[in-house]
Amino acid sequence: MIDKTIKSRAVMFVKSEMERVVRDLESGIITRDQAIGSLNTLFNIASGIEDTMQMQMICRMISYIRTTSFYGQIKKMYANKMFHDQPAPSSAPAPLQVPAAEEIAASSMKILEKIVR
């Protein structure tokens, strides 16, 4: 069992360190490998206090850093909560319905009948 005050302080520490890592990576003070190492350490701390939101955000940041070589917008993305879990939009379009093979065959038969007549 983790004490609430210790958990809240640890979450505060993880958040401040993530901001520092992002800021240092963007300014070029640390390299990509150093940033990933720091984020891995923060992930271990977040898993120790069982904070799944921070763990997910750190994983998203690590995967973003691994996939790109341009870090000019990473601080802005972090500030705009781009790495946080975002709910799906409520006005999502309905999925397209693909006609079954029987429907395709029936429609092609109707077309063929019209051609024959």
Side-chain angles (χ1 to χ4, degrees):
M1 190 71 169
I2 301 169
D3 187 18
K4 288 182 181 181
T5 57
I6 292 174
K7 184 174 180 174
S8 65
R9 287 183 182 182
V11 168
M12 234 173 36
F13 172 76
V14 169
K15 286 181 181 181
S16 66
E17 284 298 305
M18 280 194 305
E19 290 176 9
R20 183 192 61 80
V21 168
V22 167
R23 182 182 64 240
D24 290 350
L25 179 64
E26 187 179 61
S27 64
I29 295 174
I30 60 175
T31 63
R32 177 183 122 169
D33 294 331
Q34 290 170 332
I36 291 172
S38 297
L39 290 172
N40 281 329
T41 303
L42 293 174
F43 180 85
N44 288 333
I45 294 171
S47 68
I49 60 172
E50 301 170 354
D51 189 1
T52 57
M53 286 184 51
Q54 298 299 322
M55 291 167 57
Q56 289 174 355
M57 185 169 52
I58 292 170
C59 284
R60 288 184 186 113
M61 290 176 72
I62 289 173
S63 66
Y64 177 78
I65 291 171
R66 285 183 177 161
T67 58
T68 186
S69 60
F70 177 68
Y71 310 115
Q73 297 291 324
I74 194 165
K75 184 177 175 185
K76 187 177 182 181
M77 291 173 70
Y78 178 76
N80 291 334
K81 301 180 186 277
M82 298 292 261
F83 297 111
H84 292 72
D85 193 20
Q86 298 174 353
S90 60
S91 62
L96 296 174
Q97 293 182 350
V98 179
E102 297 86 23
E103 293 176 8
I104 294 172
S107 65
S108 63
M109 287 300 290
K110 288 179 184 177
I111 294 172
L112 186 60
E113 286 175 5
K114 287 182 181 178
I115 293 174
V116 172
R117 289 183 190 172

